[in-house]
Amino acid sequence: MRRSEFAELADHVFGPSLARTYTHDLVLEEIGGLSAAEALERGVAVRAVWNALCDAMEIPESARWEIPVEQRRR
């Protein structure tokens, strides 16, 4: 998973405004008490950060990975 995919999925799952808020402000115990943005900057695997964010927000596995074709960025 790339960081661009993380950003695209976050925007899709949470909406652009909340995605930014959650990524920068939400402390994720699963990845050492860092925010997603901090963890990514420190080199934590993008997939691990995405899963930690989704776990914290109780996003089901089925809603984490797929963006409908018509909603994908071009």
Side-chain angles (χ1 to χ4, degrees), residues 2 4 26 40 42 57 71:
R2 295 176 302 219
S4 60
L26 186 65
L40 292 170
R42 292 183 185 190
M57 299 308 297
Q71 293 179 358

Side-chain angles (χ1 to χ4, degrees), residues 3 10 12 22-23 25-26 28 34 36 39 41-43 45 47 55-56 59 62 68:
R3 288 177 86 164
H12 174 71
Y22 294 158
T23 300
D25 297 338
L26 186 65
L28 303 169
L34 301 170
E41 287 300 316
R42 292 183 185 190
R47 184 176 292 267
D55 288 346
I59 303 299
S62 62

Side-chain angles (χ1 to χ4, degrees), residues 10 14 52:
F14 304 113

Side-chain angles (χ1 to χ4, degrees), residues 3 10 16-17 26-27 29 32-33 35 41-43 45 56 63 65-66 72-73:
R3 288 177 86 164
S17 295
L26 186 65
V27 173
E29 294 302 322
S35 71
E41 287 300 316
R42 292 183 185 190
W65 301 104
E66 186 61 36
R72 292 181 186 169
R73 294 182 188 158

Side-chain angles (χ1 to χ4, degrees), residues 1 3 6 15 20 23 28 35 38 40 49 51-53 58-62 69:
M1 177 180 213
R3 288 177 86 164
F6 177 98
R20 304 295 173 277
T23 300
L28 303 169
S35 71
E38 291 169 328
L40 292 170
V49 175
N51 280 320
L53 180 59
E58 299 180 352
I59 303 299
E61 188 72 29
S62 62
V69 174

